[in-house]
Amino acid sequence: VRAFANAQDVCYLLVLCLVAILFLWPAWLQPDSFWYPPDSEFSDLTITHWPNMVFARESWREHGEIPLWRPLIMGGAPFVGNPQSTYFYPLNWLFLVLPVTPTFHLLFGLDMVVAGLTFYGLMRWSYKVSPFAALIGGLGYMLTPKFITHIAAGHVALCQAFSWGPLLVWLLRSAIGQKRAIQAAFRAACCGAALAMVFFAYPPSAFYDALLLGAYALYRLIVLWRDSANAKKTMSMALCLLLVPLALLLVGAIQILPTLELMTVITRSTLTLQDAGRDSLPW
């Protein structure tokens, strides 16, 4: 039975990869072209992410170092401190060695694959559902309208951050489910490091993911304390879970610190709540 289940798992994981490849088939046929939403002549990919990656690539090739400042727009602006540079997101280092435009298509494909596979893993090996149910979950997550809309709009960073969501929950649940403190601590640290990857891609997503993880961890700790009536065990697990924000800060410091420095001088830092909600819908 286990061998049959493993064979099913392999087949279904390959199905998820194949769906991602087929969905992006037009991009593979025209690797040097951009795709836009209907009736649009541009997207965030062409006005933000493509120029960022071209600048980072050329700066690295010419000077062999990380560009801290971009002199090409607005009379010059910080580059590393701007989260939209996404320079420290590991997969974006592919732009240093591969052609820029096809690499965007490749990354969208990888985002879809990672989203589908990690959701499959979360459902299959964390929630213990059947292989077919996990397949349906993986397909539903990687093809959710929100994800597809962000791909069409060229929201590269949002798609990268979205793909990490299931892995974050999987790692947190795995940490809480461990009986040995050292194993729980290791998985909690991995969860924090994964959350740092989300921050490298798109900080607002990391904020909401952190809220989700914090609320879920608090709920599980309350359940653990209520069911076991063991304050020492609950405290030990709580201390292990503190490694999640600690790992986030340690791994993400290379982007967090320049961003905090930039926030002290940008005009958005002076926005009032009324200004920020100017176009929001009334209750």
Side-chain angles (χ1 to χ4, degrees):
V1 173
R2 179 175 295 180
F4 177 71
N6 289 339
Q8 276 189 311
D9 289 327
V10 172
C11 291
Y12 288 155
L13 291 173
L14 290 176
V15 167
L16 292 172
C17 295
L18 181 61
V19 169
I21 293 173
L22 293 177
F23 182 84
L24 294 172
W25 193 252
W28 312 136
L29 296 179
Q30 297 178 316
D32 291 320
S33 64
F34 297 108
W35 47 2
Y36 301 127
D39 303 323
S40 178
E41 299 180 355
F42 59 89
S43 71
D44 280 9
L45 192 156
T46 45
I47 65 175
T48 299
H49 301 291
W50 193 90
N52 283 348
M53 292 302 107
V54 170
F55 172 71
R57 173 192 176 96
E58 296 305 316
S59 297
W60 180 263
R61 289 190 171 187
E62 292 181 13
H63 307 291
E65 60 185 21
I66 298 174
L68 304 179
W69 183 268
R70 180 165 58 168
L72 305 178
I73 61 172
M74 298 185 293
F79 185 71
V80 169
N82 187 345
Q84 287 190 325
S85 68
T86 64
Y87 193 87
F88 297 112
Y89 187 71
L91 288 179
N92 285 346
W93 299 339
L94 291 173
F95 288 104
L96 301 179
V97 295
L98 298 177
V100 174
T101 305
T103 302
F104 278 112
H105 301 320
L106 174 62
L107 290 181
F108 278 134
L110 290 176
D111 292 337
M112 291 194 71
V113 168
V114 170
L117 297 188
T118 55
F119 198 92
Y120 183 96
L122 170 65
M123 300 303 296
R124 180 76 177 99
W125 293 293
S126 185
Y127 283 100
K128 308 297 183 181
V129 304
S130 68
F132 183 73
L135 171 66
I136 298 303
L139 288 173
Y141 189 76
M142 69 189 292
L143 297 176
T144 186
K146 174 180 176 59
F147 194 19
I148 303 306
T149 300
H150 286 311
I151 291 178
H155 297 161
V156 179
L158 266 167
C159 292
Q160 292 171 338
F162 185 83
S163 66
W164 285 83
L167 182 61
L168 294 174
V169 179
W170 188 2
L171 287 170
L172 183 64
R173 283 176 54 85
S174 179
I176 295 174
Q178 296 301 314
K179 295 182 179 179
R180 297 180 59 186
I182 186 66
Q183 294 177 339
F186 175 74
R187 285 166 172 76
C190 289
C191 181
L195 187 58
M197 297 301 108
V198 178
F199 185 86
F200 290 151
Y202 193 66
S205 290
F207 172 75
Y208 289 113
D209 285 339
L211 291 179
L212 170 65
L213 296 176
Y216 182 76
L218 179 61
Y219 162 74
R220 290 295 301 270
L221 287 173
I222 293 175
V223 171
L224 177 63
W225 176 78
R226 185 188 62 187
D227 292 347
S228 66
N230 189 333
K232 183 177 179 181
K233 182 178 180 181
T234 305
M235 182 60 67
S236 176
M237 179 56 66
L239 291 175
C240 287
L241 294 181
L242 286 178
L243 288 173
V244 175
L246 179 61
L248 165 65
L249 294 175
L250 291 176
V251 177
I254 194 172
Q255 179 68 72
I256 294 174
L257 294 178
T259 300
L260 290 176
E261 183 180 6
L262 177 63
M263 287 175 61
T264 63
V265 296
I266 59 176
T267 55
R268 288 192 179 188
S269 64
T270 62
L271 282 177
T272 64
L273 184 61
Q274 182 179 0
D275 293 331
R278 184 187 62 184
D279 297 321
S280 61
L281 296 175
W283 284 106

